[in-house]
Amino acid sequence: MSSIWEETARLPKFPSPDKDLKTDVLVIGGGISGILTAYFLEQKGVDYILVEKGRICSGVTKNTTAKITYQHNLIYNKLLKNNDADLASEYLNANKKAFNMYKKLCANIDCDYEIKNNYVYTLDAPDKIEKEISALNKIGYKAEFKNTLKLPFDIAGAICFPEQAQFHPLKFLSEISKNLNIYENTFIKEMIGNTAVADNIKIKADKVIVTTHFPFINKHGAYYLKLYQDRSHVIALENAQDVDGMYIDENTNGLSFRNYKDLLLIGGGAHRTGKDGCNWEKLRKFANLKYPNAKEVCHWATQDCMSLDSMPYIGHYSKRTLDLYTASGFNKWGMTGSMLAADILCDMVCGEKNEYSDVFSPSRSILHPQLLINGFEAAVNLMTFSKKRCPHLGCALKWNSDEHTWDCPCHGSRFEENGKLINNPANGDLKI
């Protein structure tokens, strides 16, 4: 099980440290957020080190669908309804900025960057589309309503954001990472003050940025309550259809579509990590029905951190940790979220003001309905009898028969059948 990106890119290799190190800024986590942050620190001439527990881009980054867009499902009506027009407008402008930063960088990189329209469609709830368009109009963005799409089924309506983009994420990251100060195979197990502790070495830093997908330090920030993880699945088909755009169903149980060269990528099967889901079954049934002559060439799954209010957490790890920072909770929109995080975090550690740092502060209110759901899930799984328990906070693990893994329903840690750690926030293997 590997993504089309893994099959079609070669990443540079980096050494492991053989002695203790010291740096001004330490970035922990070598996915797209960490690499972009290190790239901007490099541009500013900052003394930094990036460490990754395995190989760079070996976690969630390699499994994205790689859509670069500021149309994040039906986010703007939700923000407008729950807050005010200023917040919705700032969210739009922040992600527009991230989009334009990609556009500038990709202009000089061979990464299959393509301009494509992005669509959010509905099968049965046109009122949701109308409300989103109304919300966008209120914050000054003129979205387009569509009655039909280049998809093999009828829709009840869709919103089009024109001139968005898609690319090959690993080709992009291979190019921008090759001259960065990176150490691989350096698994940070804990932080003691501003010292990062791995198995054989320690790294002392003035400032530390945690970009490990799910923040792994439990004693600050309460991310075990503010985040949960959601899995979704992708199949890549040849001899299918050129849909000429990027598409996602507003219903969380729906499907997403985009092309990569002559392949059609179909995504869906979303479910909370550790819960039962249809995984690839739904996607394959759809493909057999609509594209009977197509052939599946690869399939993969990804995992997303979901925040309480559908907005990322970017900034100080907590109010009390002025030299510790993080970025997480991209809610399935990790491309613009990662670029936005890199921009904000780089400014913050350099003592520069970023106009969007307050908007995405991890210390904003946690009073949202999702908090109760997260707390309930944790309580139930802590009280569930099981010999297999997550080393993160002790929740009962569930066996994932489709992927042959042990998955945590509380916080999304995942382990291979033999106990080897796949996804954090657990910071060690499962003892079998």
Side-chain angles (χ1 to χ4, degrees), residues 1 233 277-281 284 399-405:
M1 183 182 73
H233 302 76
C278 57
N279 298 339
W280 295 284
E281 179 185 0
R284 288 168 177 152
W399 175 245
N400 180 339
S401 58
D402 288 287
E403 300 182 67
H404 300 282
T405 58

Side-chain angles (χ1 to χ4, degrees), residues 176-341:
I176 71 166
S177 66
K178 61 185 182 182
N179 295 317
L180 300 182
N181 190 24
I182 295 175
Y183 290 99
E184 293 183 319
N185 300 306
T186 308
F187 191 2
I188 303 301
K189 300 292 184 69
E190 65 174 328
M191 293 295 303
I192 301 176
N194 278 25
T195 300
V197 181
D199 285 333
N200 300 315
I201 60 101
K202 296 178 181 179
I203 305 174
K204 173 70 175 177
D206 295 331
K207 298 179 185 295
V208 178
I209 299 173
V210 177
T211 56
T212 55
H213 187 60
F214 193 116
F216 72 97
I217 304 168
N218 290 325
K219 60 185 178 181
H220 304 297
Y223 293 97
Y224 51 85
L225 289 175
K226 295 194 293 192
L227 291 169
Y228 73 96
Q229 298 203 61
D230 186 275
R231 286 190 75 67
S232 54
H233 302 76
V234 184
I235 59 174
L237 303 176
E238 63 180 11
N239 196 30
Q241 179 189 7
D242 183 355
V243 295
D244 190 28
M246 305 177 293
Y247 306 81
I248 189 168
D249 194 333
E250 56 81 21
N251 190 313
T252 55
N253 295 319
L255 301 177
S256 72
F257 304 83
R258 69 156 285 195
N259 292 102
Y260 174 65
K261 295 189 174 180
D262 61 346
L263 300 177
L264 175 63
L265 311 186
I266 305 176
H271 59 90
R272 185 175 178 130
T273 302
K275 296 286 189 178
D276 292 333
C278 57
N279 298 339
W280 295 284
E281 179 185 0
K282 178 178 181 178
L283 309 183
R284 288 168 177 152
K285 283 183 177 179
F286 176 86
N288 290 335
L289 178 65
K290 298 297 183 179
Y291 306 114
N293 297 319
K295 177 185 177 182
E296 182 180 318
V297 297
C298 64
H299 66 278
W300 66 94
T302 192
Q303 187 151 298
D304 295 282
C305 285
M306 313 297 286
S307 69
L308 297 174
D309 58 4
S310 302
M311 289 174 43
Y313 299 121
I314 304 169
H316 290 294
Y317 209 99
S318 72
K319 287 182 178 179
R320 300 190 305 274
T321 55
L322 298 183
D323 295 324
L324 181 64
Y325 307 80
T326 195
S328 188
F330 296 138
N331 300 282
K332 299 183 182 289
W333 303 106
M335 297 301 98
T336 47
S338 293
M339 183 66 80
L340 180 60

Side-chain angles (χ1 to χ4, degrees), residues 37-57:
T37 301
Y39 178 82
F40 292 131
L41 291 172
E42 176 83 19
Q43 302 305 302
K44 286 178 176 283
V46 175
D47 176 44
Y48 73 92
I49 292 171
L50 183 149
V51 293
E52 162 58 37
K53 70 176 181 180
R55 293 271 284 120
I56 61 167
C57 304

Side-chain angles (χ1 to χ4, degrees), residues 91-131:
Y91 184 92
L92 173 65
N93 290 332
N95 283 282
K96 273 187 177 181
K97 179 182 180 182
F99 177 90
N100 288 327
M101 292 172 74
Y102 273 113
K103 186 176 182 179
K104 182 178 179 181
L105 278 175
C106 291
N108 300 311
I109 297 174
D110 180 13
C111 60
D112 302 322
Y113 181 88
E114 296 180 277
I115 296 296
K116 295 286 184 180
N117 292 349
N118 194 78
Y119 303 86
V120 175
Y121 68 88
T122 185
L123 299 179
D124 54 13
D127 58 310
K128 291 183 179 180
I129 301 298
E130 292 166 0
K131 288 177 181 177

